[in-house]
C-alpha cells in the first residue's frame, strides 16, 4: 500500500475492500476545486481521464454507481490508484483533460480520443466533370480542393450523396470515358448506351452519355462548392421546395423522403458552420479568474490556445504579455476555414465552451 499526495495504490483492483479504501482516501483528501483526475491500473496504465469543477464530489460519485455494469463502476474497478491535480478554473481543467487524453489515449475515454483517422474530408477531384468524394485525409493527389475536416464519415458520405443527387453530379469511377453534349466528336465516336441508373432516374446529368455540356456540369459543381463554402444554401433550398411541392400534393411519403435528404444536408452544413465560427470568431486574449487568486490569461488564435500565462498585475508583466500577443498574432497562418487536423479537438472544445457559456465572451479582448 502506498500513500502520496493525491494518490493511493492497492494490489487488487476488483476487491470491495480496496474500493472502500479508495473511497475513504478520496473523502479524506480531495476538496471541491476544479481539476483533472486519472484512474490508473496496477501496471501503470491510465485507463480513464476526467475533469470536474468540483473534484471531490465527482470522484465520490464513482463509488455510488447503482449497477456494476455502469460505466463509472467499471472504470473504478479497473483502477488501483486514483490521482488528481487541481487547476485554477473549470476552463483550465477542460484544457488539461483534453491534453491528457490526447497524450495517454485511455481506453475508457471516448470523447476527444480522436486522431486524423477519425476525420473525413470532402474532396473535389481534378479533370473533366469533377466528383465529390469523402476521404479520410487530405493528400497530394487528384484533388483540386478539400472541405472539412468533418466527423462521422458515414453521415458525411450520406450528405454528399444527397448533394450529388440534387445537383446531378456524377459518382462513377474516375477513369470512365466522358462524352459531353458539346464535344465536336460526339456524333462520330460516342457509344450510344442508355447510361447508368442514376442518369436514368435523373439523379445524374450524364456527362458520360452526352447528357449535358461542360458548362452545365460546371455550373452545378459551382453550386456544390458554394454550399460547402457557406456562401449559398441553394441545394438545400431545392430539396425544401421539392418537399413543399410533394406535401401540397398530399404525397406525404415522398415529402418525407425529401425531408430526410434535407436533414442530411443541414447536418453537413451545421458541422461546417461550427468550424467556421471557431476559426473566424475565436481569436482574442481571454482572462479567466482562478481559485485562490490563480488568475490565468490565454492567448487564443483561430480557436486554439497558443499561450497561457499568469494574468499580468504589474506594468512590466503587461508589457511582456503584449509582446507575446504581438508575436503570436504577427505570425502568418493559414487563411480561410482550413484547419490543421491536429488542432481540431481543441478548436471544437473551445467552440463548445463559448457556445455553452456565451457570457464568457465578455472577458475576451480583441487584438487590434
Amino acid at each position: 500500500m502506498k500513500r502520496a499526495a493525491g494518490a493511493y495504490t492497492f494490489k487488487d483492483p476488483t476487491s470491495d475492500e480496496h474500493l472502500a479504501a479508495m473511497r475513504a482516501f478520496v473523502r479524506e483528501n480531495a476538496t471541491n476545486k476544479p481539476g483533472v483526475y486519472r484512474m490508473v491500473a496496477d501496471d501503470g496504465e491510465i485507463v480513464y481521464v476526467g475533469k470536474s469543477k468540483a473534484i471531490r464530489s465527482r470522484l465520490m460519485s464513482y463509488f455510488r454507481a447503482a449497477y456494476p455494469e455502469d460505466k463509472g463502476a467499471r472504470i473504478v474497478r479497473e483502477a488501483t490508484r486514483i490521482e488528481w491535480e487541481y487547476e485554477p478554473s473549470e476552463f483550465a481543467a477542460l484544457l488539461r483533460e483534453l491534453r491528457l487524453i490526447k497524450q495517454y489515449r485511455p481506453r475508457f475515454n471516448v470523447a476527444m480520443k480522436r486522431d486524423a483517422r477519425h476525420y473525413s474530408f470532402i474532396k473535389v477531384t481534378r479533370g473533366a466533370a469533377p466528383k465529390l468524394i469523402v476521404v479520410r485525409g487530405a493528400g497530394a493527389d487528384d484533388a483540386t480542393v478539400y472541405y472539412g475536416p468533418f466527423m462521422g464519415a458515414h453521415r458525411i458520405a450520406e450528405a454528399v450523396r444527397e448533394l450529388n443527387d440534387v445537383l446531378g453530379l456524377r459518382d462513377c469511377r474516375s477513369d470512365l470515358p466522358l462524352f459531353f453534349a458539346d464535344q465536336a466528336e460526339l456524333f462520330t465516336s460516342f457509344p450510344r448506351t442508355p447510361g447508368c441508373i442514376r442518369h436514368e432516374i435523373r439523379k445524374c446529368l450524364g456527362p458520360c452519355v452526352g447528357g449535358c455540356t461542360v458548362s452545365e456540369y460546371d455550373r452545378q459543381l459551382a453550386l456544390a462548392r458554394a454550399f460547402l463554402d457557406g456562401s449559398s444554401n441553394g441545394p438545400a433550398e431545392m430539396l425544401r421546395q421539392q418537399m413543399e411541392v410533394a406535401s401540397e400534393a398530399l404525397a406525404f411519403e415522398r415529402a418525407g423522403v425529401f425531408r430526410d435528404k434535407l436533414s442530411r444536408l443541414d447536418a453537413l452544413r451545421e458541422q461546417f458552420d461550427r468550424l467556421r465560427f471557431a476559426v473566424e470568431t475565436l481569436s482574442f486574449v481571454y482572462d479567466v479568474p482562478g481559485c485562490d487568486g490563480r488568475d490565468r490569461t490565454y492567448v487564443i488564435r483561430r480557436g486554439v490556445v497558443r499561450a497561457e500565462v499568469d494574468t499580468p498585475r504589474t506594468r512590466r508583466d503587461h508589457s511582456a504579455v503584449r509582446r507575446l500577443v504581438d508575436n503570436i498574432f504577427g505570425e502568418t497562418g493559414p487563411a480561410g476555414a482550413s484547419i490543421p487536423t491536429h488542432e481540431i479537438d481543441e478548436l471544437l472544445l473551445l467552440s463548445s465552451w463559448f457556445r455553452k457559456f456565451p457570457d464568457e465572451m465578455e472577458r475576451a479582448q480583441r487584438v487590434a
Side-chain angles (χ1 to χ4, degrees):
M1 186 179 297
K2 177 182 177 182
R3 273 184 182 269
Y8 202 81
T9 305
F10 306 93
K11 295 180 180 179
D12 186 353
T14 61
S15 168
D16 290 339
E17 295 174 349
H18 289 165
L19 291 178
M22 281 197 286
R23 181 179 182 276
F25 181 75
V26 169
R27 184 175 54 192
E28 177 184 349
N29 293 278
T31 58
N32 272 331
K33 294 180 181 180
V36 295
Y37 57 91
R38 295 174 288 274
M39 300 288 186
V40 188
D42 188 50
D43 60 358
E45 177 196 2
I46 295 176
V47 297
Y48 186 76
V49 169
K51 66 89 184 171
S52 177
K53 59 183 178 181
I55 281 289
R56 185 180 187 277
S57 296
R58 181 69 186 99
L59 290 178
M60 291 298 291
S61 71
Y62 280 91
F63 303 98
R64 295 193 293 268
Y67 303 101
E69 63 270 17
D70 289 347
K71 182 179 179 181
R74 288 187 291 117
I75 290 173
V76 79
R77 283 192 175 275
E78 288 281 335
T80 58
R81 185 168 78 249
I82 301 177
E83 301 175 345
W84 64 87
E85 59 193 64
Y86 301 112
E87 294 292 337
S89 64
E90 183 182 2
F91 180 74
L94 198 67
L95 283 175
R96 180 64 174 157
E97 178 196 34
L98 169 63
R99 291 163 184 173
L100 287 173
I101 289 173
K102 292 176 75 67
Q103 178 181 355
Y104 293 111
R105 301 176 62 80
R107 53 190 165 94
F108 276 99
N109 284 98
V110 177
M112 297 180 290
K113 194 179 119 179
R114 306 184 182 102
D115 55 27
R117 294 190 303 274
H118 294 80
Y119 294 105
S120 300
F121 295 79
I122 298 175
K123 178 174 76 173
V124 182
T125 62
R126 299 181 186 275
K131 303 188 299 177
L132 303 180
I133 303 175
V134 178
V135 294
R136 285 293 187 181
D141 50 19
D142 65 337
T144 57
V145 68
Y146 288 92
Y147 293 95
F150 301 101
M151 289 180 291
H154 180 70
R155 292 193 302 274
I156 299 305
E158 288 183 337
V160 168
R161 183 172 64 248
E162 303 301 354
L163 198 57
N164 284 335
D165 285 352
V166 73
L167 295 175
L169 302 180
R170 73 185 185 106
D171 65 356
C172 48
R173 70 179 194 272
S174 298
D175 62 350
L176 188 72
L178 301 177
F179 299 93
F180 289 98
D182 52 348
Q183 285 180 311
E185 69 277 12
L186 179 66
F187 297 103
T188 57
S189 61
F190 176 63
R192 298 192 175 276
T193 58
C196 69
I197 185 64
R198 288 188 68 238
H199 175 60
E200 296 298 322
I201 60 177
R202 300 183 180 180
K203 289 189 175 181
C204 179
L205 294 176
C208 61
V209 291
C212 64
T213 65
V214 172
S215 61
E216 287 171 343
Y217 191 93
D218 288 346
R219 187 161 53 247
Q220 295 301 94
L221 179 67
L223 288 175
R225 295 187 60 168
F227 175 80
L228 295 173
D229 283 328
S231 60
S232 170
N233 205 31
E237 290 302 321
M238 292 178 188
L239 285 175
R240 187 170 284 106
Q241 291 173 9
Q242 291 173 311
M243 179 180 68
E244 292 172 354
V245 168
S247 181
E248 291 173 359
L250 303 182
F252 298 117
E253 184 174 347
R254 182 169 175 78
V257 171
F258 287 125
R259 179 201 61 216
D260 294 342
K261 291 175 178 291
L262 180 61
S263 176
R264 284 189 276 271
L265 281 192
D266 285 343
L268 175 65
R269 186 66 176 272
E270 182 180 349
Q271 273 212 54
F272 205 75
D273 286 347
R274 186 183 178 194
L275 291 172
R276 184 177 292 107
F277 163 81
V279 172
E280 296 177 355
T281 307
L282 300 182
S283 290
F284 45 72
V285 177
Y286 179 44
D287 292 329
V288 183
C291 295
D292 305 322
R294 299 168 62 196
D295 302 343
R296 298 288 284 172
T297 293
Y298 300 86
V299 183
I300 299 172
R301 187 185 183 199
R302 293 176 61 84
V304 174
V305 174
R306 309 295 175 176
E308 55 184 277
V309 296
D310 291 334
T311 298
R313 302 186 185 279
T314 67
R315 182 177 298 179
R316 182 177 181 179
D317 291 342
H318 278 284
S319 296
V321 171
R322 182 72 256 179
R323 289 193 297 271
L324 175 64
V325 171
D326 289 344
N327 288 337
I328 290 173
F329 280 85
E331 296 174 353
T332 302
S338 176
I339 309 158
T341 302
H342 68 274
E343 295 182 354
I344 291 297
D345 281 324
E346 189 166 315
L347 186 149
L348 293 175
L349 185 74
L350 266 64
S351 177
S352 175
W353 171 263
F354 287 106
R355 286 179 183 274
K356 184 178 180 181
F357 303 108
D359 291 346
E360 286 297 301
M361 291 294 288
E362 295 178 6
R363 303 184 188 278
Q365 305 170 42
R366 297 291 174 182
V367 178

